[in-house]
Amino acid sequence: MRVRMLTAVASALTLVLSGCSGGGTGSTDGKVTLRFQSLAWQKESVDANKELVKEWNASHPGIQVQYVQGSWDSVHDQLLTSFEGGEAPDIIHDASDDLADFAYGGYLADLSELLPQRLMSDIPQRSWETTTFGKGIYGVPFLQEPRVLIANKKVLDASGVRLPTDRRPWSWEEFREVTRTLTARMGKGKYGIAWPLKEPVSATLNLGVSAGGQLFHRGDDGRVTVEFTDGDAVVPGTIHAQVNTDKSASRTTLGSGGSDTLPGFFGGKYAMVPLGFSYRQQIVQQAPEGFEWTVLPAPAGPEGPAQGVSPQTLSVAEDSPYKKEAAQFIDFMLRPENTVRLAKGDWMLPTGTRALADPALHTEKDGWATGAALARDLRSAPAQSVRGYPEWKDKVATPALQEYYSGAIDTGELKKRLVRDGNLVLARYQR
Amino acid sequence: MTALRTSRSGRTGQYLALLCYLVFLAFPFLWLISTAFKPARELGSLHPTWIPEDPTLDNFRQAFDEQPLLRAAGNSLVAALAAAVVAVVIATPMAYVMARNRSKLSAAATGWVVVSQAFPFVLVIIPLFLILKNLHLINSLFGLIMVYVVWSLPFALWMLVGYVRAVPRELEEAAAVDGAGRARTLLSVTAPLLAPGIVATALFAFITAWNEFFFALVMLKTPEKQTLPVVLTHFLGAEGVADLGPLAAAAFLATIPSLAIFAIIQKRITGGMLAGAVKS
């Protein structure tokens, strides 16, 4: 018995030791190997990424790319540790709102001189602004998604309200009135809208751009301060009124994530749900047979249907010895025809103008056309390059907005917290 | 010795409390199983059911198609088993010394063990990462196992000290009086009584390593080395969006090894505890 146990332990250790080997970036036999960490997670998206890597490897025998699967859930901590340990992937997939600290920390390569003119000129300046920190460009923004209203078509058609278009979206006042009308028509226990506001900050800030909301103001000295103007109050004020005054928005979904609202939406409990454009994939998968839904543009304000976005990005690690090769791979990945494949896989919109013009992204089916029409009005999220934003968001803005939307505090208190407490946080990052 | 008597109503109350607790514990797991077998359209239903109306294996198929679950499970199994074995092999003699030789040093060591459990992962991960990198142990299961052993050792030690103290010293003294040497006493008297504790400790180390996510995420760079918890996160998108069906199917499969090991050794733990009780 004892001998058998010892044999088992020895076998296990042998197995373990045989599994030890290094890996990663390197050059063997004159061949460069790059590690590309992708955060693609939906099947079509993973497939598209892997196929593109395969095509690149087939046509570039001297520069091989290894596909590494990362995850959105943990990418920041994982990258931070990898950067500190000098083991970061060569090519990094992330979102632009996660890049500021990495860029200022010197972990990401400035791509200004590495990217070809074709790519630089194909992506609009407003998109480049999302990855420009100081004088450098630290990522290529390639996919983005506006927030849209996913609506129950039958309920909306029956209500008689005017349906918004990308040319003539609802104003925020009209939107409030529409949700009141829908709620009244739908009957008890049903609501015109359900706001999934588990993460209230980005939704509030990005939609607020349409009403002239900016919240973060950069002075001549480069320092950022928080100010709460009338424009900043429009979106939170509308939501607060829908929940607490009009009762046209469900109170129970305030703490929910987007996916959590879908059963109620499918069940006819809510007429509309504001969600990211890519949620359409879940709706296609999960909607019951015969359920008719449509995609409507989010309400607009004096600034038109503008919205803040944080596009998905591809960056290169500063420590990578093969920055030029990594930039070549990014250029290949983001050729218009390839970007279209990535966009379709992720149910998102490309930033590149040539890819965005592809007819496949303008079909009426599944609301592609509505989203594509909104793309021209997407711009950098207000908090994009603000150092200390993550702490402000977690410690100040999230609890303050949650309390405000639930009716626990009023607008004055919300303003006081966002501005006074927020500036204390930001000041620590700007000494 | 007075017998503990409980009235019939008291006993019923106890069973009810136990039942409630069991239901509470079982709920997430049963819901996970239910979700794993539901088609996508049932996942979005406003009136969810325990038993899927139209059960399907599609989620399992999709989970296996999309992610290398078997390879990841193999990596997790190797890491967790090795970590458990090594942790126990190191911790057992240390625990014996700490339990039997009560001194200031032993008390200080116990204190340090307890304090070390308070360190959050994020505090140690970067220094640890740099050390392992210098040892060329990044992206290596061996490196990960070392981390798991170091991470589970303090608690394993703490657990085992308690088990050793529960073994009556008089039994060892009696063995010595009967002429048994130190080694014989340890092997024939102490070790069998300690076996349930060793198994429980190994189980603790195994489950800690099996479920561990962050070290594996940070240390393992290539897809071939990734462990199951890391691969499970690949079913999650940005802002908490999840591919719920395949995620539930994969998570359900991920619980099976732990459950199987529990089922196999539970009897041994219980039996061993009872044996110890009789001897004391």
Side-chain angles (χ1 to χ4, degrees):
Chain A
M1 176 70 182
R2 207 168 291 156
V3 173
R4 238 181 14 218
M5 276 183 67
L6 282 171
T7 312
V9 171
S11 307
L13 285 173
T14 310
L15 191 59
V16 167
L17 289 167
S18 66
C20 307
S21 70
T25 309
S27 175
T28 326
D29 303 331
K31 203 189 278 183
V32 171
T33 302
L34 303 172
R35 273 194 298 130
F36 164 42
Q37 178 169 296
S38 164
L39 303 181
W41 67 282
Q42 299 181 91
K43 186 177 181 333
E44 302 96 315
S45 176
V46 174
D47 288 349
N49 274 274
K50 285 184 174 172
E51 281 164 17
L52 288 173
V53 168
K54 208 171 159 187
E55 288 167 25
W56 165 274
N57 286 340
S59 57
H60 296 77
I63 308 172
Q64 292 293 286
V65 171
Q66 184 183 34
Y67 181 93
V68 180
Q69 186 69 59
S71 80
W72 285 106
D73 202 38
S74 49
V75 65
H76 185 86
D77 292 338
Q78 189 247 341
L79 281 177
L80 184 61
T81 316
S82 302
F83 284 135
E84 287 287 346
E87 285 283 335
D90 301 271
I91 302 143
I92 296 160
H93 182 190
D94 202 349
S96 62
D97 61 352
D98 196 36
L99 297 186
D101 286 341
F102 293 146
Y104 287 120
Y107 298 124
L108 298 176
D110 180 0
L111 303 176
S112 312
E113 305 298 323
L114 291 169
L115 297 172
Q117 190 53 34
R118 176 203 70 75
L119 190 58
M120 295 296 290
S121 59
D122 190 41
I123 294 174
Q125 182 55 31
R126 61 176 183 272
S127 293
W128 284 118
E129 281 167 14
T130 63
T131 56
T132 302
F133 304 100
K135 288 180 181 167
I137 294 174
Y138 294 93
V140 184
F142 70 108
L143 291 180
Q144 58 188 346
E145 62 173 334
R147 215 167 280 265
V148 291
L149 296 170
I150 309 282
N152 182 321
K153 195 166 181 309
K154 279 184 185 167
V155 171
L156 250 71
D157 287 345
S159 70
V161 299
R162 178 183 79 81
L163 291 184
T165 63
D166 61 286
R167 297 270 171 204
R168 227 184 120 217
W170 288 325
S171 67
W172 283 99
E173 296 79 21
E174 193 180 1
F175 170 61
R176 187 177 160 189
E177 188 55 45
V178 164
T179 55
R180 262 201 298 247
T181 305
L182 290 170
T183 306
R185 284 181 174 273
M186 288 168 74
K188 200 164 180 267
K190 297 182 177 179
Y191 300 90
I193 192 153
W195 285 96
L197 289 174
K198 188 177 171 186
E199 303 280 344
V201 183
S202 65
T204 307
L205 261 60
N206 290 338
L207 286 172
V209 170
S210 69
Q214 197 180 342
L215 212 66
F216 296 99
H217 297 263
R218 195 174 290 275
D220 293 337
D221 58 354
R223 291 169 69 86
V224 175
T225 52
V226 185
E227 291 172 32
F228 193 81
T229 62
D230 290 345
D232 292 305
V234 170
V235 172
T238 304
I239 298 172
H240 180 268
Q242 286 173 323
V243 175
N244 298 289
T245 312
D246 305 343
K247 318 282 186 201
S248 60
S250 167
R251 179 179 293 276
T252 55
T253 61
L254 289 177
S256 305
S259 305
D260 304 329
T261 58
L262 292 181
F265 176 61
F266 297 144
K269 202 172 171 189
Y270 321 122
M272 296 184 290
V273 190
L275 293 170
F277 194 53
S278 61
Y279 270 88
R280 292 168 305 131
Q281 194 236 11
Q282 282 199 34
I283 292 169
V284 168
Q285 276 187 348
Q286 296 179 13
E289 293 287 342
F291 182 81
E292 289 182 50
W293 57 281
T294 187
V295 177
L296 305 176
E303 304 287 317
Q307 269 190 51
V309 285
S310 298
Q312 290 189 19
T313 54
L314 290 177
S315 302
V316 176
E318 175 63 22
D319 278 351
S320 171
Y322 306 110
K323 296 188 188 70
K324 204 177 90 193
E325 291 82 354
Q328 282 172 9
F329 174 71
I330 290 176
D331 178 39
F332 167 81
M333 284 288 280
L334 303 184
R335 284 179 190 167
E337 65 275 19
N338 294 343
T339 313
V340 171
R341 288 159 71 180
L342 294 171
K344 285 167 75 180
D346 251 338
W347 291 68
M348 294 176 88
L349 298 169
T351 55
T353 49
R354 286 175 61 195
L356 189 60
D358 191 290
L361 304 179
H362 290 265
T363 58
E364 290 297 328
K365 189 173 182 303
D366 300 330
W368 279 105
T370 306
L374 295 174
R376 62 175 178 268
D377 295 303
L378 302 179
R379 57 186 72 165
S380 180
Q384 200 65 57
S385 58
V386 177
R387 299 199 74 179
Y389 167 73
E391 187 180 338
W392 174 83
K393 185 181 80 165
D394 292 342
K395 292 187 180 166
V396 178
T398 300
L401 284 169
Q402 282 172 340
E403 285 184 53
Y404 179 63
Y405 289 144
S406 69
I409 59 172
D410 62 12
T411 312
E413 178 64 17
L414 172 72
K415 179 177 178 177
K416 197 166 82 181
R417 288 208 209 165
L418 293 180
V419 175
R420 184 197 59 194
D421 299 353
N423 281 326
L424 285 174
V425 170
L426 296 194
R428 281 198 285 108
Y429 288 83
Q430 301 181 92
R431 282 174 185 151
Chain B
M1 191 171 169
T2 49
L4 285 172
R5 289 214 176 92
T6 312
S7 68
R8 186 180 291 259
S9 59
R11 203 158 46 231
T12 309
Q14 285 174 349
Y15 278 119
L16 271 176
L18 181 65
L19 187 67
C20 291
Y21 184 58
L22 289 177
V23 168
F24 175 75
L25 284 182
F27 177 80
F29 185 63
L30 294 177
W31 193 251
L32 182 75
I33 297 173
S34 169
T35 306
F37 289 97
K38 281 181 181 169
R41 297 204 189 282
E42 277 191 55
L43 293 175
S45 169
L46 186 59
H47 306 289
T49 52
W50 273 103
I51 311 289
E53 289 167 9
D54 189 13
T56 177
L57 290 174
D58 283 354
N59 293 325
F60 291 90
R61 268 187 226 112
Q62 199 180 330
F64 277 104
D65 279 354
E66 287 179 23
Q67 299 298 338
L69 291 178
L70 283 179
R71 186 176 65 201
N75 290 338
S76 283
L77 203 60
V78 167
L81 277 176
V85 169
V86 176
V88 163
V89 166
I90 296 173
T92 306
M94 286 171 75
Y96 186 82
V97 171
M98 283 170 72
R100 288 291 185 247
N101 301 312
R102 299 206 177 189
S103 63
K104 282 184 180 169
L105 186 67
S106 172
T110 309
W112 172 245
V113 164
V114 175
V115 168
S116 70
Q117 289 296 294
F119 294 150
F121 274 23
V122 285
L123 198 72
V124 295
I125 188 69
I126 290 175
L128 193 65
F129 191 91
L130 292 171
I131 292 167
L132 290 167
K133 190 189 167 201
N134 288 333
L135 294 171
H136 301 286
L137 288 175
I138 294 296
N139 199 35
S140 138
L141 278 181
F142 185 65
L144 189 68
I145 291 162
M146 277 179 65
V147 172
Y148 286 169
V149 169
V150 171
W151 199 251
S152 60
L153 203 52
F155 196 76
L157 194 57
W158 197 24
M159 274 177 83
L160 279 168
V161 166
Y163 279 111
V164 175
R165 281 184 186 152
V167 174
R169 198 187 280 262
E170 290 78 7
L171 286 176
E172 292 176 5
E173 288 168 357
V177 169
D178 288 345
R182 189 77 172 154
R184 177 74 190 272
T185 304
L186 285 175
L187 281 174
S188 304
V189 177
T190 313
L193 291 172
L194 215 49
I198 290 173
V199 174
T201 307
L203 193 63
F204 155 78
F206 176 86
I207 289 173
T208 304
W210 177 262
N211 290 332
E212 201 283 325
F213 167 69
F214 193 60
F215 284 128
L217 171 81
V218 166
M219 284 182 59
L220 303 174
K221 301 292 169 192
T222 53
E224 297 76 29
K225 301 283 171 63
Q226 287 178 334
T227 56
L228 204 49
V230 176
V231 170
L232 285 181
T233 64
H234 298 165
F235 293 104
L236 296 173
E239 293 188 20
V241 187
D243 207 352
L244 200 55
L247 174 63
F252 169 53
L253 294 173
T255 60
I256 290 176
S258 301
L259 288 179
I261 289 175
F262 256 118
I264 293 165
I265 66 172
Q266 186 202 25
K267 211 172 174 182
R268 180 165 172 76
I269 294 177
T270 320
M273 279 174 175
L274 288 175
V278 172
K279 280 177 188 170
S280 71

